[in-house]
Amino acid sequence: MLRAISFLSLESMATNGNNIELEFRRNLAEVVEIHAMGPDRYGIVTPMAFDDGDLLPLVLRKDEQGWYLTDEGHTFLQLTYELEEADFRQPTRRDIVNKNLSMFGLENRNGELILRVENEKLGDALYSFAQALVKIDDIRYLSREHARSTFIEDVRQMVRSIASPKRQIEYDWHDPVIDPKGNYPVDCKINGTG
């Protein structure tokens, strides 16, 4: 079903004098499909997929404001298979998602991601939308450093939710008498009461 341009076919296009630009566009058009799914609603199939192999959920719809692309809530739903809902509210992950929404001009409509198609530039919108979905899906594969900072923030958030507000919480604390140089810090110290 999916067809790609090989280096051999590119070489033959160049030697045969064919227009490489037109051939490239023709081949690209063969791997992108659009299917009517109802009035003003179309499913778009591309070879682009999430890391787990699922194809990107790409739907073109029209409302009173015009055409837009939507994932119909599938991207965040897919993430919930591996992440808890609370994980999305964790600052590091939330910031990554918000940064990508902003960078690609997407709107989060209660979990449904949308991108308005401006000036009938569907191709530009489609690739921006697909790239944003893949980048947002990548929050499940944070780098070790991001995972470390996410873990630390998750623990701190849990401590704040459990500890009484009357108790002072100190992170990376060390005993000024026993360990004045701070060689043996404690990850978290919760001061007791009286």
Side-chain angles (χ1 to χ4, degrees):
M1 178 173 123
L2 300 179
R3 184 174 166 207
I5 301 174
S6 69
F7 288 111
L8 180 61
S9 66
L10 285 175
E11 187 176 303
S12 67
M13 283 189 287
T15 57
N16 292 335
N18 293 340
N19 186 330
I20 195 167
E21 219 176 289
L22 291 174
E23 184 67 14
F24 181 81
R25 288 181 184 167
R26 186 182 64 75
N27 280 279
L28 184 61
E30 288 179 6
V31 298
V32 176
E33 300 174 10
I34 187 164
H35 303 280
M37 299 170 66
D40 296 330
R41 185 171 180 264
Y42 298 88
I44 301 174
V45 180
T46 71
M48 295 174 273
F50 292 121
D51 279 349
D52 66 2
D54 285 355
L55 293 178
L56 296 183
L58 304 169
V59 177
L60 178 65
R61 289 192 346 211
K62 187 176 183 183
D63 63 12
E64 60 280 347
Q65 296 174 346
W67 290 99
Y68 64 96
L69 291 163
T70 174
D71 73 340
E72 296 187 330
H74 183 81
T75 303
F76 287 141
L77 176 66
Q78 175 145 334
L79 285 171
T80 62
Y81 298 151
E82 293 183 31
L83 300 172
E84 297 294 324
E85 187 177 333
D87 293 335
F88 290 106
R89 290 190 299 270
Q90 189 277 331
T92 303
R93 289 185 184 101
R94 185 185 62 228
D95 291 347
I96 291 170
V97 169
N98 288 338
K99 177 183 170 192
N100 282 297
L101 293 176
S102 175
M103 183 173 20
F104 292 102
L106 272 65
E107 177 186 339
N108 179 356
R109 209 189 271 168
N110 295 319
E112 176 185 15
L113 301 178
I114 70 162
L115 177 65
R116 292 275 168 201
V117 178
E118 302 293 332
N119 303 319
E120 299 181 11
K121 293 187 176 181
L122 180 58
D124 293 344
L126 178 65
Y127 286 109
S128 290
F129 191 67
Q131 189 173 8
L133 296 185
V134 169
K135 284 185 165 284
I136 289 169
D137 184 67
D138 282 347
I139 66 169
R140 73 172 93 195
Y141 307 112
L142 294 173
S143 71
R144 287 183 187 215
E145 187 54 39
H146 276 141
R148 181 180 175 280
S149 67
T150 299
F151 173 76
I152 290 169
E153 182 56 36
D154 288 346
V155 169
R156 288 181 178 188
Q157 185 175 353
M158 182 199 62
V159 168
R160 285 191 296 269
S161 71
I162 294 172
S164 167
K166 296 176 185 176
R167 296 178 185 231
Q168 182 182 6
I169 301 171
E170 296 180 60
Y171 299 102
D172 300 318
W173 176 86
H174 68 279
D175 189 297
V177 176
I178 298 172
D179 182 23
K181 292 184 179 180
N183 292 327
Y184 306 101
V186 174
D187 292 330
C188 179
K189 176 187 175 215
I190 302 174
N191 289 334
T193 57

